[in-house]
Amino acid sequence: MRSKEEIWEEGRLLLAVLVIGLFIGFLLDQLDRNRLDVIARNEASQVATDILQDLNRRINSNAIVLGRLVTAAEGFPNMNSEMFQKLGARMFEDIDATGYGSQGNQPAIMSLVMAPDLVVRHVYPLDTNSDLVGFDYRDFPNQLADAEATLAKQTPHVSHPFLSIQGPRAIAVRQRYENRNGEAEGLVSVAINLDMLLAQLGQNARQMANYRVAFTLGGFGSFGDTDVYQHDPLVIVLNTYDVAWSIAVVPADGWPTLPLVTQSRALVALIIAMLMLMVHFNVKRTLSHRRKEDRMAKAIDALSAGFVIFNNQGQLVHWNDTFTDMFGYGSILHKGMRYEDILRAGLKHGIFNAPEGMEDDWIAESVRASQSEANATEVRLANGRWIRRLSRRTQTGDLVGVRFDVTELKDAQFSAERLSNAKTEFMSILSHELRTPLTTITGFGRLLELDPPLTGDARKDAFVKDALTRMLGAGQELRRLINGLLDYVQIGVEAAPLSVKVCNLPYLVDHTISGYESILRQKGIALQVERRSDLQVLADPDRVKEIIANLFSNAVKFTEAGGRVHVSSSKGDRFARVTIADSGKGIPDDKIGTIFEEFFQVSSSGQRREGGVGMGLAIAKRLVEMHGGQIEVESTEGKGSRFTFSLPLAPVAA
């Protein structure tokens, strides 16, 4: 069940995504509008340019005809009307040939005029323009200025619009002609029906490109479809013969607008939908992750062990209450602390003890120990508590630490060590104290064996000899037990070094088992030995004989009368192996794993019929491992046991 806070958080994120998406959509919409507007206005600009170029060609064509008229007027200043009519007819034919004459596709030219001294003398065609003959520019101030401007320059001049005698609004392209002295003699002009000209241009624009057109000539007002100026037209200006022509165009159907559904709008809608879905699932994943983190944090806080995490920068990230209580940090800890800072604060508040003057060394060693992943380290607090520290690095480089209060374990360990030391010391003292009287007993026993006190009574003499034999055997067995105790103390506690040399293993085997011949004969045990004379090992000969003695004496001890013991040796790649097998009572399966423990006895009864203290196999195993070898056992209860140990071969001389 989601909380109100989680729902509100997701709602805020979705609203933010929606607002951002709408803003992006608005920007893309504006870009689409701008792009569409640029395309439309580029097209309109091309249409306007074509119209102006058409207009410029028309005026230039008239200017060319006007130049020829100037030449004729200067060559024949006193030409008569008939001559002018012929000249005008020929010129109209030339204009028609260009497609811009009164008879051509553009019938906008109204007349040709020759006006010496600003008084119209000739006009063509005369039949439609006879009223112009005698027209004096000086009588019409609105045209006098243009006429005088024409006389003042040698290039063609386009007049401002004027209302012609024929009725339509017109413009005139005028140029002066000169007398032989280079002085202005008069002017010639071509009159153009302005309304017709602009109507033709506008009609062409509508027919060819479906555009509406309006014109402005200089500062003399607008012409054409003047409603164009109400619809944000595209305006282009052309300057020709001192007159600025301004053309405004708009598409006949208005400027294009974006459809309701565009690619950008569809893309934005899709992006918004995808982002909202992503936000929804991301919020769900984040909330799920947050719940897991909360659950993990609660689980960590519930641990009975101290728990702490440092990030890969060595800064404190998280810890539980147990960690705080275990060390007694109280309010010392805060996120971002480095472990070194924690130790310094602990020293300051008396949590830790460090040798005076060596605090920095102690802190450095403690930091190193806390970051070690190899083994657990332990620290003793000032209050006497012992804390065990374990640390591991995560894949991200964070250092995770677990702390355990092992005070009770340490106390138990110290108690066990004291008991073990006391036991070892007791056994050492006991062994030495027993060896002294034993030496006396066995010494005198051997003297009596050499010169027994015989009485001549056969029965008594036999009893004396048997008593001496039993006394010496018991002394030998007691000496072996004492030596075993001393070996255990020396090997287990002092870890005495080996005196390693190249040894002949078959010799060591024969020498050791030869001491058991009398016992073998007494028990009627058959001995079989398989020897290999080439087995040279790298070992301590005394310790090897001790290994063989412990294993062989066990085999003899646990083999019943009439049984057999088999000793063999073999050679491997790196080790020599010695096997001692017997046909004794064997070892139960549940005892196999414990026979090499100290003071172990196979017999479960309290009578310990076979004797011994249960140290032989433990000592043998320890000595074999000190040589770098291994000892193994195979046994079947009721059928016998088979012990095999290995020793490293001596290197072969080159």
Side-chain angles (χ1 to χ4, degrees):
M1 188 71 179
R2 298 172 61 185
S3 65
K4 291 182 179 180
E5 290 77 9
E6 293 172 347
I7 296 174
W8 171 240
E9 181 178 357
E10 181 177 358
R12 283 188 296 140
L13 289 174
L14 292 176
L15 181 61
V17 169
L18 181 60
V19 171
I20 294 173
L22 291 176
F23 178 71
I24 294 174
F26 172 76
L27 293 180
L28 292 177
D29 215 43
Q30 287 298 112
L31 290 175
D32 284 344
R33 290 178 187 276
N34 293 338
R35 178 178 56 82
L36 191 63
D37 187 64
V38 167
I39 293 173
R41 289 187 178 273
N42 285 340
E43 184 179 340
S45 176
Q46 185 61 48
V47 171
T49 301
D50 292 343
I51 293 174
L52 287 178
Q53 289 177 351
D54 189 13
L55 173 63
N56 192 46
R57 282 194 295 269
R58 290 170 185 269
I59 294 176
N60 285 338
S61 176
N62 293 331
I64 293 172
V65 171
L66 189 64
R68 294 173 58 190
L69 188 58
V70 169
T71 301
E74 290 178 344
F76 302 96
N78 297 319
M79 71 175 71
N80 56 27
S81 178
E82 181 180 0
M83 183 177 179
F84 189 83
Q85 294 300 313
K86 291 181 180 180
L87 178 62
R90 188 178 303 114
M91 289 183 178
F92 260 48
E93 289 176 0
D94 292 341
I95 293 174
D96 285 341
T98 65
Y100 299 111
S102 60
Q103 306 301 320
N105 296 327
Q106 310 293 343
I109 298 179
M110 298 171 63
S111 62
L112 302 177
V113 173
M114 179 178 178
D117 194 24
L118 299 182
V119 177
V120 176
R121 178 185 297 175
H122 300 297
V123 62
Y124 178 86
L126 182 60
D127 54 350
T128 57
N129 297 288
S130 58
D131 293 341
L132 287 177
V133 177
F135 178 84
D136 191 340
Y137 285 96
R138 286 181 287 268
D139 295 336
F140 298 91
N142 61 334
Q143 294 201 46
L144 179 60
D146 279 332
E148 291 177 343
T150 301
L151 293 177
K153 57 191 302 186
Q154 295 180 337
T155 57
H157 176 75
V158 177
S159 70
H160 66 269
F162 60 89
L163 188 62
S164 66
I165 294 177
Q166 295 90 336
R169 287 180 299 180
I171 59 171
V173 182
R174 300 185 177 112
Q175 187 173 353
R176 80 176 189 178
Y177 66 93
E178 302 171 348
N179 57 25
R180 295 183 181 277
N181 297 323
E183 298 172 346
E185 182 71 19
L187 58 82
V188 293
S189 66
V190 177
I192 302 173
N193 188 328
L194 182 60
D195 291 330
M196 182 179 292
L197 174 63
L198 299 182
Q200 291 170 354
L201 294 174
Q203 184 178 6
N204 290 343
R206 181 177 290 275
Q207 291 176 349
M208 291 187 295
N210 197 27
Y211 276 82
R212 297 164 60 194
V213 184
F215 299 89
T216 300
L217 181 59
F220 305 109
S222 299
F223 306 90
D225 189 351
T226 57
D227 184 58
V228 165
Y229 291 102
Q230 306 300 320
H231 300 282
D232 188 25
L234 178 100
V235 179
I236 295 181
V237 177
L238 171 68
N239 290 302
T240 178
Y241 298 110
D242 301 326
V243 175
W245 292 82
S246 175
I247 181 171
V249 297
V250 295
D253 299 327
W255 295 108
T257 58
L258 289 174
L260 179 62
V261 178
T262 64
Q263 289 184 349
S264 297
R265 290 174 179 173
L267 179 61
V268 169
L270 179 61
I271 291 174
I272 291 175
M274 291 178 62
L275 287 176
M276 293 182 76
L277 284 174
M278 289 174 60
V279 167
H280 173 70
F281 287 114
N282 187 60
V283 168
K284 289 184 62 177
R285 184 168 58 251
T286 301
L287 293 177
S288 175
H289 183 67
R290 187 181 301 169
R291 292 192 192 99
K292 290 179 180 178
E293 287 184 341
D294 293 342
R295 188 180 300 115
M296 182 61 68
K298 292 178 181 177
I300 290 172
D301 290 338
L303 290 174
S304 59
F307 187 88
V308 62
I309 300 177
F310 294 88
N311 62 21
N312 54 14
Q313 302 297 321
Q315 297 172 325
L316 181 61
V317 175
H318 185 79
W319 65 97
N320 62 1
D321 293 338
T322 307
F323 180 79
T324 302
D325 298 339
M326 185 179 293
F327 288 88
Y329 285 126
S331 59
I332 294 176
L333 302 179
H334 59 82
K335 289 187 177 181
M337 290 184 72
R338 305 182 69 84
Y339 188 60
E340 178 181 348
D341 301 330
I342 297 174
L343 293 176
R344 291 190 184 278
L347 286 174
K348 180 179 179 181
H349 289 79
I351 297 174
F352 303 110
N353 283 329
E356 186 175 355
M358 301 181 64
E359 289 83 358
D360 290 339
D361 294 338
W362 179 85
I363 289 174
E365 176 61 23
S366 297
V367 170
R368 185 200 63 77
S370 69
Q371 296 177 348
S372 174
E373 299 185 34
N375 298 297
T377 58
E378 294 174 349
V379 60
R380 188 174 187 272
L381 305 183
N383 60 9
R385 308 294 295 178
W386 283 90
I387 307 298
R388 178 173 295 169
R389 301 176 295 195
L390 291 171
S391 299
R392 291 291 183 272
R393 289 281 181 188
T394 66
Q395 292 181 349
T396 58
D398 295 342
L399 185 67
V400 179
V402 182
R403 306 292 187 261
F404 300 95
D405 188 332
V406 293
T407 304
E408 295 181 359
L409 291 177
K410 294 294 290 186
D411 291 343
Q413 176 186 341
F414 293 149
S415 298
E417 289 176 354
R418 287 193 296 269
L419 289 174
S420 177
N421 292 335
K423 179 187 71 174
T424 302
E425 185 178 0
F426 171 75
M427 292 177 64
S428 178
I429 294 174
L430 178 63
S431 299
H432 282 88
E433 292 300 322
L434 289 176
R435 179 176 288 182
T436 300
L438 179 61
T439 302
T440 302
I441 293 172
T442 54
F444 281 106
R446 291 189 182 279
L447 290 176
L448 290 175
E449 185 181 28
L450 293 175
D451 186 17
L454 302 177
T455 62
D457 187 335
R459 187 176 64 82
K460 291 182 179 181
D461 291 344
F463 173 78
V464 170
K465 290 181 179 180
D466 181 64
L468 286 173
T469 301
R470 289 178 180 273
M471 180 180 69
L472 291 175
Q476 183 179 359
E477 181 63 19
L478 183 59
R479 182 181 295 278
R480 189 181 68 81
L481 293 176
I482 294 173
N483 288 338
L485 289 174
L486 289 175
D487 285 340
Y488 168 73
V489 173
Q490 186 178 26
I491 295 173
V493 178
E494 300 175 1
L498 299 175
S499 178
V500 177
K501 61 182 71 174
V502 176
C503 309
N504 185 286
L505 184 58
Y507 167 78
L508 297 178
V509 172
D510 290 344
H511 183 272
T512 303
I513 65 178
S514 63
Y516 292 87
E517 292 180 353
S518 61
I519 299 176
L520 292 173
R521 285 195 299 270
Q522 289 177 9
K523 296 185 68 174
I525 297 174
L527 174 64
Q528 182 182 2
V529 180
E530 296 181 10
R531 300 177 179 85
R532 287 194 56 165
S533 60
D534 59 341
L535 284 182
Q536 302 291 320
V537 295
L538 198 61
D540 185 329
D542 293 333
R543 296 302 187 184
V544 173
K545 288 189 287 185
E546 192 171 347
I547 296 169
I548 299 171
N550 281 322
L551 297 179
F552 190 82
S553 64
N554 271 356
V556 174
K557 182 191 304 182
F558 293 105
T559 300
E560 300 292 341
R564 56 184 175 80
V565 175
H566 180 269
V567 180
S568 63
S569 57
S570 61
K571 182 179 181 181
D573 294 335
R574 297 172 52 203
F575 291 89
R577 296 167 63 86
V578 176
T579 301
I580 300 175
D582 63 68
S583 60
K585 64 180 182 179
I587 305 170
D589 292 339
D590 60 341
K591 304 290 186 179
I592 288 290
T594 56
I595 61 173
F596 292 107
E597 295 179 359
E598 293 89 347
F599 308 108
F600 174 79
Q601 287 282 352
V602 174
S603 175
S604 59
S605 66
Q607 297 178 355
R608 300 174 66 90
R609 182 169 59 86
E610 290 81 5
V613 294
M615 291 298 301
L617 293 180
I619 293 173
K621 181 176 185 294
R622 174 65 173 160
L623 291 174
V624 169
E625 291 175 348
M626 288 174 65
H627 282 85
Q630 292 182 339
I631 187 168
E632 302 170 351
V633 59
E634 300 175 16
S635 181
T636 302
E637 190 173 6
K639 294 186 177 180
S641 301
R642 178 187 180 91
F643 287 85
T644 301
F645 68 92
S646 59
L647 296 172
L649 289 169
V652 179

